[in-house]
Amino acid sequence: MKLTEEEKLHRLIVVGDRVLIKPLTLSKKTKGGLFLPPGYSEKEEIQTGYVLKAGPGYPIPVPENEDEPWKRGNGDNIRYIPLQAKVGDLAIFLQKGAIEIVYNEEKYFIVPQNSILLLERDDEPDC
């Protein structure tokens, strides 16, 4: 049974406060028409890409006043502060904080929430 690219990505689990981003392919030419050398865009400090998956967020400790916290079992009571980044957002992030990976011959970045500078979302805000 052959899995599609989307099904392969669906199997990945992003951990904690990290986000999986597919970088945008930038033009190899400047606005003036000059061709950029190979590897130029990889050396840029700021990158842009789309959020494909987001982790659950920042884990928060269990309150001290709960009775016998060691009896909770398999950890289903873990609570998280959710991330601002959502699937489908366009993210502008610092490359210094990102980890570049190659998965199924595609380039992706694993970026912590604190390295994301700006998000663009298509949803209209509730007014």
Side-chain angles (χ1 to χ4, degrees), residues 121-127:
R121 191 169 292 153
D122 289 335
D123 296 347
E124 293 293 321
D126 297 333
C127 295

Side-chain angles (χ1 to χ4, degrees), residues 107-125:
K107 183 163 107 173
Y108 300 98
F109 287 103
I110 299 173
V111 183
Q113 171 83 18
N114 63 359
S115 290
I116 296 175
L117 302 173
L118 185 70
L119 293 169
E120 180 181 311
R121 191 169 292 153
D122 289 335
D123 296 347
E124 293 293 321

Side-chain angles (χ1 to χ4, degrees), residues 15-27:
V15 181
D17 70 329
R18 291 169 182 82
V19 177
L20 181 68
I21 295 179
K22 171 87 170 146
L24 289 178
T25 55
L26 300 175
S27 174

Side-chain angles (χ1 to χ4, degrees), residues 1-14 20 52-53 101 103-106 108:
M1 182 172 163
K2 187 99 170 154
L3 296 175
T4 65
E5 293 297 319
E6 188 174 315
E7 289 171 336
K8 288 178 183 176
L9 281 176
H10 183 67
R11 297 173 72 185
L12 294 177
I13 298 171
V14 181
L20 181 68
L52 297 179
K53 294 192 87 143
I101 63 168
Y103 182 73
N104 292 328
E105 300 175 12
E106 293 282 334
Y108 300 98

Side-chain angles (χ1 to χ4, degrees), residues 3-5 15 27 31-33 35 52 55 57-58 64 66 68 71 76 81 83 89 92-93 96 100 104-105 112:
L3 296 175
T4 65
E5 293 297 319
V15 181
S27 174
K31 292 179 183 178
F35 284 95
L52 297 179
Y58 299 98
E64 297 277 333
E66 289 192 19
E68 300 178 354
K71 291 186 177 180
D76 292 335
I81 298 173
L83 302 178
D89 289 350
I92 298 173
F93 61 95
K96 285 182 184 178
E100 181 181 330
N104 292 328
E105 300 175 12

Side-chain angles (χ1 to χ4, degrees), residues 47 78 91 121:
Q47 291 284 330
I78 297 173
R121 191 169 292 153

